[in-house]
Amino acid sequence: MKGFIKKFSASLTAATMFTTVIAAAAVAADTDGVDWSKGIVSARGVASGKNRAQARRAARMDAQRNLAEQVEGVQVTSESSMKDLMLEYDVVKTTVSATIKYAREVSTRYFEDGNCEVEMEMPMYGASRSVAAAAFSPYKNQEREPFPEPSVNSRVNGAYSDGLRVYRDEPSYTGLVIDCSDMDLNPVMSPVIRNDDGQAIYGHKNLDIDKVIEFGMASYAEEPHDEISRSRAGDNPLVVKAVALQGFNANPVVSVSDADRILIANQNDQFLDDLKVVFVK
């Protein structure tokens, strides 16, 4: 029965992969073991054996298989998952396989019926043995692109103005928080921030890939100033409200005015360069 359900689910996903609503639902269904707030992927395995040692080995293998399924379901961009990258790049597939072998065993339970349950986890981010190390391996040698210039502002006496407000004496910001609450944001490893004219102002091409692998491009928080947000964006972040989401609700869109404000502040404080970015779900 379990095998039938898996085959049926795979067929259903393939048959509806071009439907936006179903695709978004499939992303959520495939990532039950992914904790974006904590930055970990976890899975459990259960097995029996002639003795505890044998049962534990079999449970670990089952946990690793389940962990591989969870990793495959991690959404890297709005349109591609780890499974897609593993099919496209051999280096990603090889790195994922090696990383799962070193997944950490976080709990082990033995039952009276002879079964053993093992829980294993691996980090989303980190210089080695992480999901990000595999996901971004094809881009290790990419040439970094500069952040765009503010799109509509003009410099006047050392300040920028868009006719509505002048960003003259802005405080020093410790990071950026984009409030996407009530918008059903879908977390991804490589999000893009755009203004509502369609210009990308933040993406992996603008960043040091080694930093992206180590820290991730953004953290996902529940509140603009909660513990996760403060640890990533500091005590005085620039907070702006998203006006929309694009790409299966993965990529925040901000107004042109707010995008310019972000770019101008980053010229002073480099919080985008340092990946001090938080999205509020």
Side-chain angles (χ1 to χ4, degrees), residues 25-278:
V27 168
D30 287 342
T31 55
D32 291 341
V34 180
D35 190 325
W36 289 93
S37 296
K38 294 181 179 179
I40 60 172
V41 183
S42 61
R44 288 184 172 86
V46 179
S48 60
K50 295 179 179 179
N51 52 54
R52 283 193 168 191
Q54 189 181 79
R56 179 171 172 268
R57 284 195 298 270
R60 280 178 58 88
M61 292 179 62
D62 188 44
Q64 288 174 334
R65 283 192 295 268
N66 293 333
L67 192 60
E69 291 182 1
Q70 292 298 318
V71 171
E72 287 180 359
V74 171
Q75 204 70 9
V76 180
T77 71
S78 62
E79 297 179 345
S80 62
S81 67
M82 283 297 295
K83 184 175 182 179
D84 297 323
L85 294 187
M86 290 168 68
L87 291 172
E88 185 175 358
Y89 300 103
D90 288 339
V91 65
V92 176
K93 182 178 180 180
T94 301
T95 306
V96 167
S97 298
T99 301
I100 288 174
K101 291 180 181 179
Y102 290 97
R104 187 167 70 97
E105 187 174 326
V106 295
S107 69
T108 305
R109 298 172 61 196
Y110 297 97
F111 301 94
E112 293 182 358
D113 61 2
N115 281 336
C116 175
E117 179 189 75
V118 169
E119 181 178 4
M120 304 187 76
E121 67 178 32
M122 58 187 290
M124 291 279 286
Y125 305 103
S128 63
R129 297 177 182 176
S130 70
V131 179
F136 292 98
S137 56
Y139 309 106
K140 288 284 288 184
N141 297 319
Q142 77 171 13
E143 184 176 349
R144 185 177 174 184
E145 298 179 4
F147 289 101
E149 291 294 319
S151 58
V152 299
N153 290 319
S154 59
R155 188 181 288 274
V156 180
N157 297 325
Y160 284 93
S161 172
D162 61 2
L164 299 175
R165 47 184 165 174
V166 177
Y167 309 123
R168 188 185 302 277
D169 297 318
E170 288 275 20
S172 180
Y173 291 111
T174 56
L176 171 66
V177 174
I178 297 186
D179 187 354
C180 307
S181 56
D182 304 321
M183 287 189 175
D184 196 24
L185 176 68
N186 286 322
V188 295
M189 297 188 75
S190 184
V192 177
I193 302 173
R194 299 183 185 276
N195 66 22
D196 54 6
D197 275 349
Q199 181 187 34
I201 67 167
Y202 181 77
H204 75 79
K205 293 181 179 180
N206 309 117
L207 304 171
D208 182 329
I209 287 297
D210 288 333
K211 285 185 178 180
V212 171
I213 291 171
E214 180 72 26
F215 304 108
M217 290 180 59
S219 290
Y220 291 87
E222 298 296 330
E223 299 289 341
H225 300 287
D226 65 12
E227 183 178 352
I228 292 174
S229 182
R230 288 197 306 272
S231 66
R232 181 78 178 226
D235 293 327
N236 188 42
L238 172 58
V239 181
V240 300
K241 178 71 176 178
V243 298
L245 297 174
Q246 292 181 345
F248 301 118
N249 285 4
N251 300 324
V253 179
V254 298
S255 68
V256 170
S257 180
D258 278 337
D260 287 344
R261 189 180 181 194
I262 292 167
L263 293 171
I264 294 162
N266 183 64
Q267 291 175 352
N268 295 326
D269 302 316
Q270 290 80 50
F271 49 78
L272 295 182
D273 303 73
D274 293 334
L275 286 64
K276 303 293 186 180
V277 178
V278 173

